[in-house]
Amino acid sequence: MNQDPSQKESPRLANVLVAASLRADQWRHLNAAARAWAGGGANAAQGRERCTKQFAEAMRLEQCWAYPGERLLAALRQALADGDAALFARLVQKVSSAILSGDYRRDENAWELDDDLDRNVLDALPPDILGVQDKPYFEVLVVTPADPAQWLRSKDEMRRMRRAEDPFHYAVVHAGSFEDAALAMIVNHDLQAVVLVDGFGFSSHHDIPDLKDFVSRHVSLDADDVRPGTMSLTLARTIKNSRPELDLYLLTDRAPESVAGSDEAAPLRRVFHHVEEPMEIHLSIIDGVNDRYETPYFDNLKKYAMRPIGTFHALPIARGKSIFGSNWIRDMGHFYGTNILFAESSATTGGLDSLLEPTGNIKRAQNAVARAFGAKRAYLGTNGTSTSNKIVVQAVCKPGDIVIVDRNCHKSHHYGFVLSGAQPYYVEAFPLTQYSMYGAVPLRTIKQALLDCAAGGKLDRVKVVDMTNCTFDGHMYNPRRVMEECLAIKPDLIFLWDEAWFGFARFNPMHRRRTAMGAAAVLTQRYHSQAYRDEYAAWKAKRGEFDPADPALLDERLLPDPDRVRIRVYQTNSTHKSMSAFRQGSMMLVWDEDFHHVEGPFEEAFFAHTSTSPNLQLIASLDLARRQMELEGYGLTLRMTDLALKIRRAINTHPLISKYFRVATPEDMIPAEFRESGLRDYGPPDSSWLDAIEALDHDEFALDPTRLTLICGAAGFDGTQFKGLLAERFDIQINKTSRNSVLVQTNINNTHSDAALLIKALADLSREIESRLAQGGALDRTVFDDRVRALMTDVPDLPNFSRFHDAFRDQPDGASNEGHMRPAFFMAYDEDNCEYVRLGSEDIDKRLRDGPEMVSANFVIPYPPGFPIMVPGQVIGADTIAFMRKLDVKEIHGYHAAQGIKLIKPSALAGRRAGSLH
């Protein structure tokens, strides 16, 4: 029998990821219990006891939110104490509905005991203030030593400061201590500002036994670490590290001038004297949120669209006259509407600014992006991250530079090397053969490549380490550790982190620790500290100089010289892949202490790859995506993570679905040697969230919980077949597949209804398989088992990169494996240099056995898995041919079965000098 939800024990906070979701569940369960009590009859006593228990559980964290507020909570307590089941049920229904629907953001009646506004509270407000439906709502945390008995009066006073011209409205949450403020900051997604009033203490005022376990995931809770008189500034720094988007204000009775000038006040937006005029605080709060709400380009585009403009430029679609006046394409205007046509132009006048040389609102938009994503600079891309990658590669690399790069990275990187003339040194990710996919490149492998170059006297030519973070399948690097150890070998290395799928991560403290910009900020602060200098000096004295040939270096934790190290980090993200931007919207984020050496080449590369007619709507959507993420990205990304975990749990614990479908766990996707924590899966019963955070902090690789590899091979479906089935029959769209899996990724667009649709589809398919196998005979079972075996067991080995042909290597006998790919690429332009061999021919087997070597003339990229198994100039090995022969995918870029594999003729390679086109 299913347990009544109202009787479920509230989970320990240590096992809760998103407290806001727990809160909504608790109010929903309390609502069910209250209705049962109100209609309970003879079971009234039992119903009241249940409601008392459920109400107490819900109240554990309720002080962290402004709604429902003291008045409604007091009325609920009184109704419960009086045994008034009807009133209690009515009030619980009111609060529960408002929390689930968000009505409290839009309707003042949601805050009152009945449907009439309390005029004693609101009589000081102008009449039009009551119509707040169209104004965005947020909450402000006030951390104060004041008596909690005064908090309600303080809230009412701040409420009365609302003005008709305020673009937003807010409500106040109070906390009386460091711990309570930290808890509210973590769980309350509506917070946009924090006001710190000097004088509060450290310890919580509430009885929450597991509070420390919950908060310590993101915040260090140790009163001994707080120096006397610095409680407010320590809390400010703590909040800024965890939620950098929040505005912080300090009210102090100390001399505000001296406080404001100190380094410790850097996280604060403004410092007030304790007795400052309250309206100034109110105006500052509104102004701070408005700074993030402002979208310079989008705001101006809206104004431009409303102006009566005559267009004599080369864009007939602008203003829509050619469409709405047409006999044949008026349906285009009806479908897209007028605004998108009115907001089109090929001009950069009228305040629209130029993407190629921004001086106005695009420049301001880029500055806002840099602030929001924690970068020093930001550039907007309108040709997708494929182009953004090429821009960065071409900007930081010149012919002859060596780039240590994941062979499985997106093809845009490989084409970037062709364009720039950089020599790729391909390093291999760990294989996940059972799923026909690769993971990520171990740090040991990256260090080996650097040391090989050092041993060969070529370390000075190594310019960039280029990795994908996180990978398509969710493998997250530990960028801080990778960069730190690589910088110990070469202190001026540039890092390009392709975070195409990971742009959202900045706004989620769980993911942020694995981002390029997050690591750049941490390392910059670390290397400027005296503590690190002492750590480095002790390490250097113990280890001395190191020999690049020393194999012990591969397993030793290396530290860079703080006097030589340079933080040079570039991150690209496909904003459209994880945020609310139109397709091809991309960003390039820069944290480069030597950017003054790169700025000119970067500008040239940007000019080379960016259209002179960029899509204005794309630019505007990037502006808006930044606004949304800076104002609500924290809550959105946590909710999407929570939803992914619920999908994972629902599939893997379902008694029928789990027979045929399964979501791969971190244990499945990351070998134990790279999971030092031993984490098997996220959440109970496998781990607490404190365990998961420890793993995210220290393991070499971690698995992004929002990316779900759904194994479908045990159901007899290959990835491509299953993807088509989900789309055609269930209207479920999937992006990426492998031989026996599909990738389910949650994003900020997904809802519980989407999750239910997927679970229902899997349940229906599982029941159909059960029925078919039950009704069929032994032959049907044998055919099914053979199909599953072919998909899940008899999988092809994954090929590694072999080497570049000697004709494309400077030192054929050297340990490092970089090569000149550009000349090989362009040799294939001359058909006289090329030949073809068919995959099934005996010629291939003979040449593999007896020679001459087969050298690829172009890129060959099967989808899936989507990585190049051949690149120009690569010697083709037996493992690559075996893999191609077992491939059962239809889409292979660079290969046509009727022609065969395109090779560079041995005669064209004979006598060729490396680096030459002749």
Side-chain angles (χ1 to χ4, degrees), residues 369 373 379-381 388 571-573 575 585-589 622:
V369 167
F373 286 83
Y379 294 85
L380 305 183
S388 295
Q571 175 206 323
T572 56
N573 81 58
T575 317
S586 177
M587 294 174 179
M588 289 154 276
L589 306 177
L622 290 169

Side-chain angles (χ1 to χ4, degrees), residues 31 41 145 187 190 268 277 302-303 365 466 471 490 515 582 605 630 646 649 672 712 791 860 876 893 903 913 915:
N31 189 28
V187 307
D190 286 329
L268 301 171
E277 168 60 42
K302 287 190 294 182
K303 294 177 184 177
D466 184 351
T471 68
K490 190 172 193 293
T515 65
F582 288 131
E630 204 169 11
K646 289 177 177 176
R649 196 170 300 118
C712 57
L791 290 170
V860 176
I876 301 172
H893 297 181
L903 305 175
R913 181 167 48 84

Side-chain angles (χ1 to χ4, degrees), residues 27 30-32 34-35 67 76 86-100:
W27 278 100
L30 181 59
N31 189 28
R35 289 200 310 270
Y67 184 81
L76 280 163
L87 177 58
F88 184 79
R90 183 169 68 84
L91 292 175
V92 170
Q93 167 69 29
K94 179 186 182 75
V95 173
S96 178
S97 297
I99 289 174
L100 291 174

Side-chain angles (χ1 to χ4, degrees), residues 10-20 22-23 26 57 60-61 63-65 183 187 207-215 217 684 688-690:
S10 178
R12 293 183 67 252
L13 286 179
N15 294 331
V16 173
L17 175 62
V18 183
L22 170 65
R23 179 201 190 202
Q26 287 177 328
E57 288 289 348
R60 295 179 74 206
L61 298 180
Q63 74 279 356
C64 297
W65 289 274
L183 178 65
V187 307
D207 182 17
I208 308 176
D210 43 358
L211 177 145
K212 291 185 185 296
D213 283 346
F214 182 77
V215 175
R217 300 177 198 170
S688 72
W689 279 104
L690 193 57

Side-chain angles (χ1 to χ4, degrees), residues 573-695:
N573 81 58
S574 295
T575 317
H576 67 96
K577 284 185 169 72
S578 65
M579 291 167 270
S580 301
F582 288 131
R583 194 173 180 89
Q584 293 189 18
S586 177
M587 294 174 179
M588 289 154 276
L589 306 177
V590 180
W591 189 306
D592 186 348
E593 294 177 345
D594 291 332
F595 190 73
H596 53 282
H597 295 310
V598 179
E599 189 167 10
F602 193 101
E603 186 178 82
E604 288 295 331
F606 194 83
F607 289 161
H609 292 281
T610 301
S611 169
T612 53
S613 300
N615 188 304
L616 308 190
Q617 316 313 319
L618 279 180
I619 300 172
S621 76
L622 290 169
D623 204 8
L624 286 163
R626 187 277 313 157
R627 179 213 281 178
Q628 180 181 39
M629 298 308 288
E630 204 169 11
L631 288 167
E632 57 181 341
Y634 178 74
L636 291 173
T637 56
L638 280 177
R639 279 195 289 269
M640 84 185 209
T641 305
D642 190 45
L643 183 63
L645 293 164
K646 289 177 177 176
I647 293 173
R648 178 189 299 272
R649 196 170 300 118
I651 293 172
N652 287 355
T653 61
H654 193 285
L656 178 58
I657 294 176
S658 60
K659 289 177 64 175
Y660 302 104
F661 302 96
R662 184 172 62 85
V663 176
T665 65
E667 184 178 31
D668 297 321
M669 298 289 283
I670 302 173
E673 63 189 288
F674 307 120
R675 253 183 317 109
E676 296 89 336
S677 67
L679 184 79
R680 298 177 57 197
D681 200 358
Y682 293 115
D686 296 289
S687 66
S688 72
W689 279 104
L690 193 57
D691 297 330
I693 295 299
E694 284 291 314

Side-chain angles (χ1 to χ4, degrees), residues 267-282:
L268 301 171
R269 183 178 175 91
R270 189 167 174 185
V271 178
F272 293 96
H273 191 258
H274 209 302
V275 294
E276 199 75 56
E277 168 60 42
M279 180 57 75
E280 286 298 313
I281 300 172
H282 168 80

